[in-house]
Amino acid sequence: MAGGSDASETSTLSCAQCRKPAHLQCPKCVELNLPREGAAFCTQDCFKSAWSSHKSVHVKAQLSSIAKVLPGDQNSDLIAEGWLYCLKKGQSRTPKLPHFDWTGPLRPYPISSKRAVPGHIVKPDWAIDGIPKVEPNSELQHVVEIKTPEQIERMRETCKIAREVLDAAARIIRPGVTTDEIDRVVHEATIAAGAYPSPLNYHFFPKSCCTSVNEVICHGIPDARKLEDGDIVNVDVTVCYKGCHGDLNETYFVGIVDETSRQLVQCTYECLEKAISIVKPGVRFREIGEVINRHASMSGFSVVRSYCGHGIGELFHCAPNIPHYGRNKAVGVMKAGQTFTIEPMINAGVWRDRMWPDGWTAVTADGKRSAQFEHTLLVTETGVEVLSGRLPSSPDVFPWLKEK
Ligand code: MF3
Ligand code: CO
Ligand code: CO
């Protein structure tokens, strides 16, 4: 009870150093709300001589505060194995949950240490030091490349691998699976196919794919959180193979989800389908956003503005820039031989996004849910080829695709 610490209670405490009656409390223990026994001292001298061993009490308490957000035995193991929270662009780590004005119920969890890529896998230039060197300096940031038939064939191969990797991830999704386990499947399936997981160390991104749960819009970092019944989770896979990138994502249901989430995910799937259906030579890139905005707003949902589709090929991200919202100022018209992504992010509430302290995780400003689907596309002479399209082997995870 507050204000109830009387003299008799205090007088029962004995000095943690010499066992004499104690009247001083360690201020750090008070701050951390630790038990008064073991934190009491008779004099400053006893407090000082106890300090070198006593201070470990504070460290233990701070580590076990992590245990409160991660129920179960695994927490102390996680910390011992080097699982830590990610700060700013994956360049530093902390054992304590960072402070933030969280917008919804979701919180970050510790992330595992970096996964290795075997020497025989050909790596993009950011794999070693986290810094893309060719990509930001390429003229392909300004001009939209027309791929040669040989480049197109490599894009087909790469996107098929990316699709198979995403499908492998989709098959393990269920309550209790951590997003780190999804990342492990993506990492191992990518390497087994002889490819490099493009996100790994891209601008210091710490993992091999993005996993975006509930109010996360995109770029969620796989971590120790277990998926819960009723969650939605987007898995975004990009692989680099034979010098080309292939990029796609899907949003999955974890167990049984509420009706609004079901509608949000289906509407987002339809937004991407409708956008793809207008792709052909001569169409303006800015039309894509009109189609998506029309369908999303019709269902009462909003379109994310801060993240766009992009050109893709030998570069992960290049021209054209493809906004998904209406009345956008995207430049240019589609031409046969161009490859780019469309990847609408649709929110149940407001369109505005915020960034977590990790520098990657984009969340909705109001904490309501967000869904996304992405494909890598080729503009053909007559229309479009969905390079990352579903395969006969793809798992049946979307109820609206099941034939009656
Ligand atoms: N795959 C994402 C996209 O669709 C990009 C992820 S970059 C990362 O463009 F660094 F966050 F992985
Ligand atoms: Co993309
Ligand atoms: Co992607």
Side-chain angles (χ1 to χ4, degrees):
M1 191 198 289
S5 104
D6 57 29
S8 62
E9 188 191 334
T10 311
S11 66
T12 64
L13 292 171
S14 56
C15 175
Q17 180 74 353
C18 71
R19 314 315 303 173
K20 285 185 202 153
H23 304 282
L24 301 172
Q25 288 286 140
C26 165
K28 188 74 186 172
C29 288
V30 172
E31 181 193 319
L32 295 171
N33 241 317
L34 298 178
R36 294 151 60 88
E37 311 80 51
F41 298 91
C42 61
T43 58
Q44 283 292 344
D45 282 347
C46 262
F47 183 43
K48 276 185 196 150
S49 42
W51 180 252
S52 69
S53 62
H54 173 75
K55 65 186 182 201
S56 70
V57 169
H58 309 150
V59 176
K60 264 197 201 153
Q62 281 163 315
L63 288 180
S64 74
S65 74
I66 292 164
K68 288 185 185 122
V69 290
L70 274 166
D73 277 344
Q74 56 167 329
N75 308 301
S76 44
D77 296 356
L78 287 181
I79 301 303
E81 287 163 18
W83 291 62
L84 294 166
Y85 296 97
C86 192
L87 287 175
K88 212 70 189 168
K89 288 286 170 188
Q91 288 169 84
S92 66
R93 301 283 193 274
T94 167
K96 286 205 67 171
L97 181 71
H99 284 286
F100 186 66
D101 178 19
W102 309 102
T103 67
L106 196 75
R107 296 292 178 276
Y109 280 62
I111 67 164
S112 59
S113 47
K114 196 179 173 195
R115 293 187 210 284
V117 179
H120 70 271
I121 302 287
V122 180
K123 299 167 186 68
D125 66 1
W126 55 81
I128 305 301
D129 65 358
I131 301 170
K133 291 146 208 85
V134 173
E135 184 170 290
N137 299 305
S138 169
E139 61 170 13
L140 298 182
Q141 294 307 331
H142 314 284
V143 294
V144 184
E145 183 177 38
I146 306 296
K147 263 76 175 175
T148 66
E150 177 272 331
Q151 284 176 308
I152 290 170
E153 195 43 49
R154 281 189 288 133
M155 286 294 287
R156 277 198 192 98
E157 276 185 79
T158 302
C159 289
K160 177 159 185 267
I161 292 171
R163 160 55 68 181
E164 286 167 339
V165 170
L166 181 67
D167 289 348
R171 285 188 193 99
I172 69 152
I173 286 174
R174 57 176 169 76
V177 170
T178 67
T179 49
D180 183 76
E181 285 161 346
I182 296 171
D183 181 73
R184 189 189 28 217
V185 167
V186 167
H187 185 86
E188 287 172 3
T190 302
I191 282 164
Y196 180 89
S198 310
L200 185 61
N201 219 20
Y202 181 72
H203 294 282
F204 305 99
F205 189 81
K207 291 286 154 196
S208 299
C209 64
C210 302
T211 53
S212 300
V213 174
N214 298 342
E215 68 262 35
V216 179
I217 292 168
C218 64
H219 302 167
I221 301 171
D223 66 21
R225 182 181 179 278
K226 289 176 172 165
L227 294 174
E228 294 172 11
D229 185 53
D231 284 346
I232 58 171
V233 60
N234 177 280
V235 182
D236 190 340
V237 166
T238 312
V239 306
C240 182
Y241 183 71
K242 294 193 181 174
C244 285
H245 298 272
D247 189 5
L248 80 162
N249 74 53
E250 288 180 342
T251 302
Y252 305 109
F253 300 124
V254 181
I256 314 284
V257 306
D258 64 82
E259 181 61 13
T260 305
S261 299
R262 204 194 54 69
Q263 281 176 14
L264 175 68
V265 172
Q266 185 174 346
C267 175
T268 307
Y269 183 96
E270 291 163 356
C271 282
L272 176 55
E273 289 287 292
K274 287 177 188 290
I276 291 170
S277 75
I278 68 159
V279 172
K280 65 174 185 192
V283 174
R284 289 178 168 81
F285 289 113
R286 69 170 191 238
E287 277 302 312
I288 290 170
E290 298 300 332
V291 170
I292 292 167
N293 181 58
R294 199 177 305 136
H295 191 62
S297 54
M298 193 180 82
S299 304
F301 300 136
S302 69
V303 181
V304 169
R305 302 176 73 91
S306 300
Y307 300 89
C308 297
H310 51 92
I312 185 166
E314 282 148 27
L315 302 177
F316 189 173
H317 295 104
C318 55
N321 184 54
I322 308 203
H324 307 292
Y325 50 88
R327 304 186 183 197
N328 68 73
K329 306 251 168 325
V331 189
V333 300
M334 301 172 195
K335 296 187 183 70
Q338 294 173 335
T339 55
F340 57 87
T341 73
I342 304 180
E343 46 185 299
M345 288 141 275
I346 306 298
N347 296 351
V350 299
W351 59 266
R352 197 174 283 283
D353 57 283
R354 300 267 313 276
M355 177 84 82
W356 274 5
D358 60 26
W360 282 107
T361 308
V363 291
T364 57
D366 60 6
K368 295 190 182 180
R369 290 180 171 196
S370 183
Q372 182 180 23
F373 284 86
E374 173 177 29
H375 275 307
T376 296
L377 309 169
L378 166 71
V379 184
T380 64
E381 296 295 338
T382 55
V384 62
E385 182 177 331
V386 183
L387 299 176
S388 53
R390 288 172 60 84
L391 300 168
S393 59
S394 294
D396 259 348
V397 284
F398 302 118
W400 56 87
L401 295 183
K402 288 190 178 133
E403 50 193 316
K404 297 262 164 68

